[in-house]
Amino acid sequence: DTLILWAQIGFIESQKTLCEKIPFGRCMCGRAALSRKIEYAARVDERHENRYEGIGPHGHYCVPMLYRGKTLGVITLYLDEDHPRDEKEAEFLASAADIISGVIERRRAEETIREMAYYDSLTGLPNRRMLIDMLKHMIAGSRWKNRFSAVIFLDLDRFKIINDTFGHAFGDNVLSAVAQRLKGCLFEGDVLGRAGEDRIARIGGDEFTILLYEINKPDDVVNVIKKIYSTLGVPFVIEGREIYVSASMGVSIYPYDGQHAEDLLANADTAMSKAKEEGGCTYSIYRPFMNEKAFKFFNTENMMRKGLERDEFFLHYQPQVTIKTGKIEGAEALARWQSMESGLNTPADIIP
């Protein structure tokens, strides 16, 4: 175990360097961390193993911060040389250390809860809840600066085959590797011009979302997509196996394709579905007709369910004629749907 210098007042550079990392048991601080008891020194003595250039005469209280028997850190107070040890002082310092330890543990617990609420446990990326907050922030910034921004909805192609073939644990390793590779390629300076991981999220299964803040023009999104395809095109080596991964992507652009977070996300998802329909391993930019088509299909499905309940389906018989003789040799039975709302529907009306 090692103590890391976290906060200090008045340290000179050589002192900071020397005290940056102190193993348990070494020097006054390390002894207090190991023994879990207050270490006192009236002056610099042999216990001061870390001596820096320019060290002056002084004494020490080194007070361990403990929580449920575990050492969280050490508070070190510098004293005038030959300052006598006072038990009331020591008792007060121990109480202060206990309070600070409680605050630290509470803060850690809050951070853990926040991680569970806003971050994906597998990849460490923001989850859907955090993504919505990120989207709102992106939209507000773009609106304020009158700039474009974009949402890329990425879905891995045929990922179910990987899960079914090698198991879900293997699939999880693939998802983690994809997440790391996306972070590595998306936040190089030549792509987005800034660092940070607050622009990519895993929102479930094999779906990832990428936010592009303040792009100069919509065409810039295509350059990022090309970068992603180039990165994913390199095979992954998972548990000694070489795995090839491709993805379908959909794009929505603020302000053209939505003014609100949920709208931009939904429209990027719709565009991704269009890319899937085209065979995958490609991208599609959102167009309004995509939602019209999806709504029509959804509405037709609901009407068909009601049509079955109302017995609106019936058979048409289409004769099969031999060309040479002109005789009817048989018939093909075809289901037809006479809807109360839309009348007679052709196959083109039903089959997307």
Side-chain angles (χ1 to χ4, degrees):
D1 289 332
T2 303
L3 292 172
I4 307 296
L5 182 62
W6 192 254
Q8 52 76 32
I9 297 177
F11 275 26
I12 61 176
E13 285 303 317
S14 57
Q15 189 178 6
K16 290 179 186 178
T17 302
L18 197 61
C19 297
E20 187 176 11
K21 293 184 179 181
I22 298 177
F24 278 26
R26 180 177 176 82
C27 207
M28 292 288 294
C29 296
R31 291 173 188 273
L34 185 63
S35 68
R36 299 175 184 170
K37 297 178 180 179
I38 294 178
E39 291 285 335
Y40 164 79
R43 58 173 57 87
V44 177
D45 56 26
E46 67 280 357
R47 291 175 294 172
H48 289 73
E49 296 167 291
N50 286 2
R51 301 191 186 189
Y52 52 91
E53 184 179 351
I55 188 170
H58 64 272
H60 270 307
Y61 276 120
C62 292
V63 187
M65 295 185 294
L66 307 175
Y67 188 82
R68 296 181 179 177
K70 180 183 178 181
T71 302
L72 302 183
V74 174
I75 301 173
T76 300
L77 288 88
Y78 284 73
L79 310 172
D80 292 335
E81 190 176 38
D82 293 328
H83 177 91
R85 173 168 180 151
D86 186 307
E87 290 306 319
K88 288 186 177 180
E89 282 182 345
E91 184 179 339
F92 171 78
L93 292 173
S95 296
D98 287 343
I99 293 172
I100 295 172
S101 297
V103 172
I104 291 173
E105 279 303 301
R106 179 175 178 178
R107 181 65 179 272
R108 285 180 176 176
E110 290 172 349
E111 286 296 318
T112 299
I113 293 171
R114 184 176 183 276
E115 287 282 332
M116 294 172 63
Y118 290 102
Y119 290 87
D120 172 49
S121 59
L122 177 63
T123 63
L125 294 174
N127 60 17
R128 185 184 180 91
R129 179 180 294 180
M130 184 69 167
L131 172 66
I132 296 301
D133 289 343
M134 292 157 53
L135 269 167
K136 290 177 180 177
H137 176 76
M138 181 187 77
I139 291 169
S142 297
R143 183 180 294 123
W144 176 259
K145 297 180 181 179
N146 196 27
R147 300 287 295 275
F148 298 112
S149 54
V151 177
I152 300 176
F153 198 109
L154 183 153
D155 185 277
L156 300 182
D157 296 326
R158 297 175 291 279
F159 184 73
K160 185 177 184 298
I161 296 176
I162 294 177
N163 272 340
D164 292 346
T165 304
F166 302 109
H168 288 271
F170 185 92
D172 285 348
N173 290 336
V174 173
L175 290 172
S176 296
V178 168
Q180 290 302 315
R181 195 172 289 186
L182 286 175
K183 287 190 291 186
C185 87
L186 287 173
F187 302 109
E188 295 174 358
D190 62 332
V191 177
L192 297 183
R194 68 189 78 195
E197 297 179 1
D198 60 341
R199 289 163 174 79
I200 176 171
R202 180 186 176 220
I203 59 176
D206 57 351
E207 296 175 337
F208 297 85
T209 301
I210 299 144
L211 307 185
L212 304 182
Y213 288 41
E214 300 176 21
I215 57 178
N216 293 321
K217 56 185 182 299
D219 289 346
D220 291 344
V221 180
V222 177
N223 295 328
V224 176
I225 289 175
K226 289 179 179 178
K227 181 86 173 183
I228 294 171
Y229 278 126
S230 175
T231 299
L232 294 182
V234 179
F236 292 82
V237 178
I238 308 294
E239 298 179 11
R241 297 179 182 274
E242 195 171 70
I243 300 294
Y244 287 86
V245 173
S246 65
S248 299
M249 286 181 261
V251 179
S252 62
I253 296 174
Y254 173 86
Y256 300 138
D257 303 326
Q259 302 285 322
H260 304 286
E262 291 288 0
D263 294 337
L264 283 172
L265 186 60
N267 290 339
D269 188 6
T270 298
M272 183 277 297
S273 297
K274 176 65 175 176
K276 286 279 189 185
E277 290 176 10
E278 294 175 358
C281 197
T282 188
Y283 70 92
S284 179
I285 296 175
Y286 175 76
R287 296 291 183 267
F289 75 84
M290 295 178 180
N291 270 345
E292 294 173 6
K293 182 179 178 182
F295 178 78
K296 181 179 179 182
F297 178 74
F298 178 80
N299 189 51
T300 299
E301 181 181 358
N302 283 344
M303 290 174 59
M304 287 180 69
R305 292 180 185 276
K306 293 178 181 178
L308 287 170
E309 294 173 0
R310 296 193 292 245
D311 198 24
E312 294 178 349
F313 289 85
F314 59 94
L315 290 178
H316 269 186
Y317 294 94
Q318 180 169 292
Q320 295 176 327
V321 179
T322 300
I323 296 176
K324 289 183 178 180
T325 64
K327 293 182 179 181
I328 297 176
E329 300 290 344
E332 180 181 9
L334 303 172
R336 290 292 183 258
W337 174 29
Q338 181 76 34
S339 170
M340 291 177 59
E341 288 89 356
S342 58
L344 184 63
N345 290 273
T346 67
D349 296 325
I350 302 171
I351 302 172

